[in-house]
Amino acid sequence: MTYTSERPPIAEPSDSLRARIPGWGADLDPKNRPSVPKLQWQDDRPGWDFPERQPEKWPRERSIEHEFLTPVFGTSCPPKGLSGALRRFSYRKYSEGRAAHWLLLLAADRVDAWESHLRSFATLRPDNPITETGVLSEFTRHGFSSRVGKKRADVKHHLVDPIIVVGPWVLAAGLAFSVVRKVLRRR
């Protein structure tokens, strides 16, 4: 059982594993393992008691590999909106060993960033992509001279960085402009 102090049962006997898997059990001899005294299971010492569970205020994402959540878990960023739906789908559908699970979580992070950008426009202090992305530091903090003649690994993608960072903002501004222009023309 996961998250307990009980020693897990061995699924197969050592002899069958040794016969089936070449080299299995090569480190079973205590003479080959310098850390053996630390690894001994001590029946005379009590294990730890299972801690009191943290209450779930909303359904949390949980891996399909585990029977239940850990006793304590993070609650600082509850899943919300489309990004939360993507995260819940990823945990419900795919194992953590699948690339689809992690790609969906990456996509959910990007969707969450855009949700936050859009939400910021409804406040008195919307996001400012010029100052918050560090574009101005390219001109004031020796951006060009730190790249020329240096053997930096990130030089290859510097030409693409402005397109990746500023491109979505320019597209969003162009889309907003065209929508406003169509609305004003209809009036």
Side-chain angles (χ1 to χ4, degrees), residues 9-32:
I10 296 176
E12 290 183 52
S14 297
D15 294 332
S16 66
L17 287 170
R18 194 173 287 113
R20 188 168 51 88
I21 303 169
W24 189 91
D27 59 348
L28 288 180
D29 185 9
K31 291 182 280 186
N32 295 336

Side-chain angles (χ1 to χ4, degrees), residues 23-88:
W24 189 91
D27 59 348
L28 288 180
D29 185 9
K31 291 182 280 186
N32 295 336
R33 302 181 76 198
S35 62
V36 160
K38 294 179 186 176
L39 299 176
Q40 294 295 327
W41 188 263
Q42 299 173 347
D43 292 326
D44 60 334
R45 300 184 84 186
W48 57 277
D49 294 329
F50 198 82
E52 183 180 330
R53 291 194 160 281
Q54 176 182 350
E56 266 187 84
K57 295 180 182 173
W58 56 83
R60 295 292 307 182
E61 312 89 26
R62 59 177 52 111
S63 171
I64 59 177
E65 282 97 10
H66 299 291
E67 186 177 348
F68 49 83
L69 280 174
T70 57
V72 179
F73 49 85
T75 58
S76 64
C77 299
K80 60 188 180 305
L82 180 60
S83 63
L86 279 171
R87 285 186 177 92
R88 284 189 290 273

Side-chain angles (χ1 to χ4, degrees), residues 102-123:
W102 298 105
L103 290 173
L104 279 170
L105 291 179
L106 284 171
D109 285 346
R110 293 292 86 217
V111 169
D112 186 37
W114 274 102
E115 287 173 342
S116 298
H117 291 315
L118 293 175
R119 201 175 307 113
S120 77
F121 290 123
T123 65

Side-chain angles (χ1 to χ4, degrees), residues 108-184:
D109 285 346
R110 293 292 86 217
V111 169
D112 186 37
W114 274 102
E115 287 173 342
S116 298
H117 291 315
L118 293 175
R119 201 175 307 113
S120 77
F121 290 123
T123 65
L124 295 176
R125 295 188 55 139
D127 290 347
N128 184 348
I130 302 298
T131 59
E132 292 175 7
T133 57
V135 172
L136 295 179
S137 66
E138 292 293 323
F139 304 108
T140 59
R141 304 281 184 222
H142 311 291
F144 183 74
S145 64
S146 69
R147 289 180 182 82
V148 176
K150 309 290 190 265
K151 293 187 178 185
R152 290 177 43 169
D154 61 344
V155 171
K156 294 178 182 172
H157 64 78
H158 282 171
L159 294 176
V160 181
D161 283 348
I163 297 168
I164 292 172
V165 173
V166 180
W169 288 101
V170 171
L171 286 174
L175 181 65
F177 176 75
S178 66
V179 166
V180 168
R181 197 165 103 192
K182 282 183 182 181
V183 167
L184 291 177

